[in-house]
């Protein structure tokens, strides 16, 4: 038997073994385990702010840790920093490349980052008298789909080149490259304890990585198309994913498998983005059909919908204090709801 | 970078990953799901989007209109 055939045979055997091990601990699922939990109330949120200022599709937004400021990115070639309380624009950062796909706010509030089809992650200092470019992180060989700051000195990126990377902002170099996906990486989410992160990719897999040793620890199967959105559950023991297969899923990290799927026969639009309420009970998932559906994460039921955008909801975010949810859309507006 | 890899190298990478993951311990869903439910239920009481935000404490409440006299 050729070497390749031998490897394929071994891989199939291991996959079968892993599937059996997962089945062996699958003595219930989340919806059944949550049968005793009181249903979440019907969620009716009102639009409190409509933030107008971008001139083209909004692709990403991210809250600052101060629960008030947020950054948004649009293919009009700008990052806008908003004061969500007043609704005013605080800053505008012109981008060298307008093909932006992601933006991020550093936990300190000092820096923001953006990136996209330029394959780079550009970091800007908001605190200098004039906003300055601090670093251009240039080593990915594919588009930048997601960036997140660990601190003012480290950034994590996900790329269409199938890798994720940890960068040192002082040197501008990659410290660690996370290679294991075989499709474009589309999203990433940091664990609450900051020791690990999860990534979702076009190979329809989600992977859990150890930031310090660079290793992929777990791989989650189940989706049948690109995973566009991913988030750690607030307790750190589960992750939620959103996919082009029109479903969201919860994967339990300790049971190493899918424990519930959020789907509806009437829904046939892909999930573009997702955010969790502070307790994790509510999932706000943005879809291609212009809506944001609200799911009860424990019972798997749809408990509300945010309608109001005139085009695809491309990004969603809940600030750390959980006081509202923000949706951003290809209609060029951001809305704040609570 | 998986794009630059030969089919054989990709297969080798997948095989090595499976060899690692087959050794992972897995806990029963009945235990792990229950703990997730308990954690979430405890936190839900204080979750502003579930319990609602009182008008006077809502930083996003609609701003008052102006009265021109």
């Amino acid at each position: 038997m050729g070497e390749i055939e031998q490897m394929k045979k071994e891989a199939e055997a291991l996959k079968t073994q892993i599937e059996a091990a997962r089945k062996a601990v699958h003595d219930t699922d989340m919806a059944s385990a949550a049968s005793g939990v009181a249903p979440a109330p019907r969620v009716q949120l009102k639009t409190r702010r409509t933030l107008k200022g971008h001139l083209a599709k909004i692709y990403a937004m991210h809250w600052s840790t101060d629960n008030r400021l947020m950054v948004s990115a649009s293919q009009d070639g700008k990052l806008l920093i908003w004061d969500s309380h007043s609704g005013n624009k605080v800053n505008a950062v012109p981008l060298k490349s307008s093909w932006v796909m992601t933006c991020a706010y550093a936990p300190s509030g000092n820096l923001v980052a953006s990136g996209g089809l330029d394959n780079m992650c550009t970091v800007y200092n908001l605190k200098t008298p004039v906003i300055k470019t601090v670093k251009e992180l240039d080593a990915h060989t594919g588009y930048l789909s997601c960036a997140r700051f660990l601190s003012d000195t480290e950034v994590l990126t996900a790329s269409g080149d199938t890798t994720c990377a940890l960068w040192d902002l002082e040197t501008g170099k990659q410290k660690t490259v996370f290679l294991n996906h075989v499709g474009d990486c589309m999203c990433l989410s940091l664990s609450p304890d900051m020791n690990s992160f999860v990534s979702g990719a076009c190979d329809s897999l989600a992977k859990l990585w150890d930031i310090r040793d660079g290793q992929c620890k777990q791989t989650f199967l189940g989706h049948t198309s690109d995973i566009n959105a991913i988030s750690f559950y607030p307790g750190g023991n589960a992750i939620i994913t959103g996919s082009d297969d029109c479903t969201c899923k919860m994967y339990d990290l300790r049971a190493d498998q899918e424990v519930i799927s959020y789907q509806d026969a009437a829904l046939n639009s892909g999930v573009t983005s997702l955010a969790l309420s502070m307790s994790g009970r509510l999932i706000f998932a943005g879809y291609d059909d212009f809506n944001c559906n609200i799911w009860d994460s424990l019972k798997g039921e749809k408990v509300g919908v945010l309608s109001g955008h005139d085009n695809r909801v491309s990004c969603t975010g809940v600030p750390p204090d959980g006081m509202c949810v923000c949706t951003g859309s290809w209609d060029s507006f951001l809305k704040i709801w609570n | 970078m998986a794009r630059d890899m030969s089919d054989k190298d990709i297969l080798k990478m997948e095989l090595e990953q499976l060899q690692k993951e087959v050794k992972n311990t897995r806990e029963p869903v009945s235990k792990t799901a229950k703990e997730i439910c308990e954690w979430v239920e405890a936190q839900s009481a204080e979750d502003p989007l579930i319990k609602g935000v009182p008008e006077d404490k809502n930083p996003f409440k609609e701003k008052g209109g102006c009265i021109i006299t």
Side-chain angles (χ1 to χ4, degrees):
Chain A
M1 201 185 273
E3 206 183 337
I4 288 189
E5 285 313 302
Q6 183 63 33
M7 287 201 282
K8 279 189 187 171
K9 193 161 173 250
E10 203 185 327
E12 283 311 306
L14 287 167
K15 284 183 192 172
T16 304
Q17 228 182 308
I18 290 173
E19 208 193 308
R22 285 177 170 152
K23 240 181 140 180
V25 298
H26 191 86
D27 51 1
T28 186
D29 63 20
M30 178 56 77
S32 307
S35 55
V37 174
R42 185 90 203 148
V43 181
Q44 282 170 318
L45 305 181
K46 289 199 223 166
T47 304
R48 302 293 179 178
R49 298 276 183 277
T50 297
L51 305 178
K52 306 181 195 204
H54 280 300
L55 303 172
K57 294 175 176 172
I58 291 172
Y59 274 80
M61 62 81 45
H62 194 215
W63 283 95
S64 165
T65 52
D66 73 359
N67 300 302
R68 180 175 181 139
L69 297 177
M70 34 177 264
V71 60
S72 60
S74 162
Q75 292 200 349
D76 63 5
K78 290 217 170 34
L79 291 186
L80 291 178
I81 314 289
W82 306 85
D83 173 341
S84 62
H85 289 185
S86 65
N88 293 333
K89 294 176 247 329
V90 168
N91 271 315
V93 184
L95 304 174
K96 257 201 220 170
S97 162
S98 63
W99 303 110
V100 66
M101 296 174 69
T102 185
C103 60
Y105 225 119
S108 65
N110 295 331
L111 308 171
V112 288
S114 67
L117 295 183
D118 59 355
N119 297 0
M120 290 196 312
C121 178
T122 307
V123 179
Y124 309 87
N125 187 338
L126 294 178
K127 302 297 186 173
T128 42
V130 175
I131 295 175
K132 278 197 323 180
T133 300
V134 161
K135 269 289 181 289
E136 284 176 341
L137 306 176
D138 190 4
H140 279 301
T141 54
Y143 58 83
L144 203 82
S145 53
C146 192
R148 285 292 178 259
F149 286 88
L150 275 81
S151 67
D152 280 5
T153 54
E154 287 182 313
V155 170
L156 260 179
T157 54
S159 170
D161 69 11
T162 76
T163 71
C164 295
L166 176 68
W167 303 77
D168 179 329
L169 285 182
E170 279 155 1
T171 61
K173 300 269 181 271
Q174 290 180 330
K175 287 208 281 207
T176 313
V177 175
F178 303 89
L179 170 60
N180 209 261
H181 279 295
V182 295
D184 302 13
C185 291
M186 298 303 293
C187 49
L188 70 88
S189 174
L190 265 171
S191 66
D193 70 7
M194 309 259 276
N195 291 327
S196 41
F197 73 96
V198 283
S199 58
C202 292
D203 56 13
S204 70
L205 303 174
K207 285 181 180 284
L208 173 74
W209 306 86
D210 180 312
I211 291 182
R212 299 304 155 193
D213 72 16
Q215 300 297 305
C216 171
K217 300 298 187 193
Q218 288 175 257
T219 300
F220 302 97
L221 287 68
H223 279 297
T224 53
S225 188
D226 306 358
I227 295 177
N228 298 315
I230 197 163
S231 179
F232 252 97
Y233 213 59
N237 286 325
I239 61 170
I240 310 284
T241 52
S243 165
D244 271 350
D245 69 11
C246 313
T247 74
C248 294
K249 291 179 188 295
M250 179 192 289
Y251 292 96
D252 182 320
L253 300 186
R254 292 177 304 169
D256 187 44
Q257 58 189 278
E258 176 185 332
V259 290
I260 190 168
S261 188
Y262 310 97
Q263 59 192 82
D264 186 315
L267 275 176
N268 51 16
S269 303
V271 179
T272 59
S273 52
L274 67 90
L276 301 178
S277 70
M278 201 189 76
S279 64
R281 185 68 193 267
L282 301 177
I283 300 170
F284 297 92
Y287 291 72
D288 286 344
D289 70 358
F290 311 176
N291 285 328
C292 180
N293 288 317
I294 311 175
W295 298 90
D296 176 338
S297 67
L298 300 180
K299 291 186 176 284
E301 295 158 354
K302 208 170 97 165
V303 294
V305 67
L306 302 177
S307 305
H309 283 294
D310 295 325
N311 207 322
R312 178 183 291 195
V313 173
S314 54
C315 49
T316 50
V318 171
D321 66 1
M323 288 292 276
C324 67
V325 53
C326 178
T327 52
S329 168
W330 278 9
D331 68 8
S332 81
F333 302 123
L334 296 146
K335 287 180 183 285
I336 306 231
W337 315 71
N338 72 11
Chain B
M1 257 108 116
R3 300 186 198 301
D4 306 331
M5 292 164 66
S6 65
D7 286 349
K8 187 166 161 200
D9 285 337
I10 289 180
L11 195 45
K12 186 158 175 280
M13 179 174 78
E14 289 181 317
L15 184 52
E16 283 170 358
Q17 185 61 27
L18 288 166
Q19 285 164 342
K20 277 195 265 176
E21 289 185 15
V22 76
K23 300 179 190 159
N24 286 346
T25 51
R26 296 169 177 90
E27 294 180 55
V29 177
S30 54
K31 169 173 178 273
T32 59
K34 180 159 165 286
E35 286 171 18
I36 288 175
C37 286
E38 285 166 359
W39 195 94
V40 171
E41 277 196 284
Q43 300 287 316
S44 298
E46 288 310 305
D47 186 332
L49 292 170
I50 291 187
K51 67 176 187 161
V53 183
E55 266 310 282
D56 58 337
K57 297 239 173 17
N58 189 354
F60 303 106
K61 70 173 185 280
E62 276 97 314
K63 297 174 264 191
C66 297
I67 301 170
I68 301 170
T69 53

